[in-house]
Every structure is written in C-alpha cells, then in structure tokens.
Amino acid sequence: MALIVVLLIVQIWLLSASLESYLAGHTGAVLPAAIFSGLIFSGCLALNFFVKRVDEDSRR
Amino acid sequence: MRLFHSPSKEPLWKDEFSVFTSDERYVTRRQFTKFLTLASLGMFVGNLWILAKVRFTKTPAFPTVEVADISEIPVRGVKLFTYPTAQDHCIMIRTSEEEYVGYSQKCTHLSCAVYYSAKNDCLECPCHQGFFSVKDGSVLQGPPPRPLPQITLERHGAKLLAVGVKGSSTARWHLSSCCSSSRSGC
C-alpha cells in the first residue's frame, strides 16, 4: 500500500507539472507525462492485484 | 470501530457484508488500496485530458483591432485597451522610439491588474508584489507562476493593430518604421 501511495504522489506531481506547463504554453512535456502517468497507473493496478491475491491466499 | 483487523478466518463475503453496523464503516486496507488505484486512474485520465486538449484544440482566430495611433503614445508611455474581447484588459507600452509591446493586464498569479512602473521599467502587480519584464513579459520576481500573455502588435502606417495573443512567448515584437508590419525575434 505504501508503494501505491508513493506512486500516487509522483502521479499527482506529474499531473500538476503537466497542467502548469500546458497553461504556460509549453506543450512538449504533455505527451511524455501522459505516458509516464499511464505506466504509473499500470504499476498501481499491478500492485492492487498483487495485494488482492496475497489477501485471498491468506484467507484460505 | 476497530482500526485493524487480524486476518479473518471467515469467508470474504462475510467480512465485506457484516451484520454489525460498526463493521460496515470499517475500510479495509484492501478497499483503501482500491481507492488509491482509482485515484491513480483519475490522475491518468487527467493527463489524457490535457493531452487531448493539446492535440485537438484549434488555434483561436483573433480579431484585428486598432489599438492606438503612433503619435498618441510618448516613449515610455502607456495605453490601456481591451483585446480580444471587451472583458480582456491589456496594456501597451512604448519602450523606445520604434518599439511597442502589449501584454494582458491580468496577473498570472491571482488576476489582479498589472501596471507599468516607469521608475523600475517593469510591470508590477500591486496585490502581491509580482514583477514582470517589459521586454518579454517573463516573471522577474514574486509569486506569479507564468509570464504575462503577450499581445501581438502590428503597425500599419500610423496605426497600431492588435492581431493575436501569445500564451507565454518570449518573442518580442519589434515594429519597424516602414509601413508594413515587421517582426523580429527576441
């Protein structure tokens, strides 16, 4: 869960930075930011499934 | 309400649909992890939204509006005007004999009106002491996060026309003395 929180903090920073650069008229960083955000979301999803599997295993 | 559950021997559905009201409010770590993952999805969607805005937003067509006569403004003089709509207040400064610059008057911090300080030769926001460069509208000092939007000016004869708005360009429009409009980069 701590890992997901860390990833989420990075993603919040990424979103605010890309929004800031977009509003400032710099659009070069928007595509890489979206790609990295997608990767971080994939990581969160993978961790979520991992936690779910561990939780279910421990109940058996 | 218990904050921590020890691993339950009960089936999962019994844990999630408890008969006890107090347990219904209990958010398990797994539920919280789901919530965090959903928040992550939200951030990703936000980034995609910005990307879509960049890709699919067309450059707006700005009107051409007469701002002033050349003779109307002295060197280091100021003229206030509105562009592109009547609600968008702008400021034009004659920085030298043949040079004019125009900016949105709205501070990029909290939208106070900026004014020209001839003493310091910069644009000042009186609300929170933000300072912008007259040359390119960039932030010199203070809390504003972005440069001032720059108004594109063209000279046609003795008339100065506003023809567009640049988000945060560092370009500086230099008006030559000839009749046709001419631009030179910063």
Side-chain angles (χ1 to χ4, degrees), chain B residues 8 36-37 43 45 47 64 67 81 84 116 140 145 154 165:
Chain B
S8 174
L36 291 178
T37 310
M43 301 288 157
V45 169
N47 265 302
T64 300
V67 176
F81 62 102
Y116 176 62
L140 297 174
E154 283 185 1
V165 181

Side-chain angles (χ1 to χ4, degrees), chain B residues 3-53:
Chain B
L3 289 177
F4 298 103
H5 272 302
S6 56
S8 174
K9 298 294 178 193
E10 295 289 332
L12 185 59
W13 66 269
K14 277 192 176 179
D15 264 0
E16 290 196 337
F17 301 99
S18 174
V19 293
F20 301 109
T21 314
S22 60
D23 281 353
E24 282 182 4
R25 292 178 187 167
Y26 178 79
V27 179
T28 61
R29 279 185 293 179
R30 191 158 54 78
Q31 283 172 325
F32 188 58
T33 310
K34 271 184 194 171
F35 171 76
L36 291 178
T37 310
L38 272 176
S40 174
L41 175 64
M43 301 288 157
F44 179 45
V45 169
N47 265 302
L48 287 180
W49 178 74
I50 295 170
L51 184 65
K53 287 274 282 182

Side-chain angles (χ1 to χ4, degrees), chain A residues 5-44:
Chain A
V5 170
V6 169
L7 287 177
L8 203 63
I9 290 168
V10 173
Q11 213 176 9
I12 290 168
W13 171 80
L14 207 57
L15 180 63
S16 61
S18 60
L19 185 63
E20 189 63 42
S21 71
Y22 165 66
L23 290 175
H26 306 295
T27 54
V30 173
L31 180 61
I35 291 169
F36 274 106
S37 188
L39 289 175
I40 290 173
F41 169 62
S42 307
C44 285

Side-chain angles (χ1 to χ4, degrees), chain B:
Chain B
M1 187 175 76
R2 286 175 298 168
L3 289 177
F4 298 103
H5 272 302
S6 56
S8 174
K9 298 294 178 193
E10 295 289 332
L12 185 59
W13 66 269
K14 277 192 176 179
D15 264 0
E16 290 196 337
F17 301 99
S18 174
V19 293
F20 301 109
T21 314
S22 60
D23 281 353
E24 282 182 4
R25 292 178 187 167
Y26 178 79
V27 179
T28 61
R29 279 185 293 179
R30 191 158 54 78
Q31 283 172 325
F32 188 58
T33 310
K34 271 184 194 171
F35 171 76
L36 291 178
T37 310
L38 272 176
S40 174
L41 175 64
M43 301 288 157
F44 179 45
V45 169
N47 265 302
L48 287 180
W49 178 74
I50 295 170
L51 184 65
K53 287 274 282 182
V54 168
R55 287 292 159 104
F56 301 113
T57 303
K58 291 177 182 172
T59 310
F62 291 105
T64 300
V65 175
E66 185 183 323
V67 176
D69 270 352
I70 298 290
S71 57
E72 198 180 325
I73 313 163
V75 175
R76 296 171 80 87
V78 167
K79 165 104 191 214
L80 301 179
F81 62 102
T82 57
Y83 185 81
T85 67
Q87 284 76 42
D88 300 312
H89 295 271
C90 302
I91 183 168
M92 184 174 72
I93 305 141
R94 185 173 188 175
T95 52
S96 68
E97 201 62 44
E98 294 298 334
E99 233 170 352
Y100 301 82
V101 286
Y103 299 103
S104 165
Q105 224 188 345
K106 199 185 280 184
C107 179
T108 53
H109 179 221
L110 289 176
S111 302
C112 291
V114 298
Y115 68 91
Y116 176 62
S117 166
K119 182 185 163 194
N120 298 322
D121 195 29
C122 65
L123 290 154
E124 290 185 18
C125 176
C127 292
H128 303 98
Q129 299 302 304
F131 293 87
F132 299 91
S133 167
V134 170
K135 289 182 170 58
D136 54 11
S138 59
V139 181
L140 297 174
Q141 189 183 322
R146 292 183 296 279
L148 287 173
Q150 192 167 24
I151 310 299
T152 308
L153 299 171
E154 283 185 1
R155 180 174 166 180
H156 286 264
K159 305 277 185 196
L160 277 173
L161 305 176
V163 294
V165 181
K166 293 188 65 134
S168 66
S169 170
T170 53
R172 185 184 192 182
W173 304 107
H174 181 92
L175 301 168
S176 70
S177 55
C178 67
C179 293
S180 63
S181 62
S182 69
R183 299 169 181 175
S184 69
C186 180

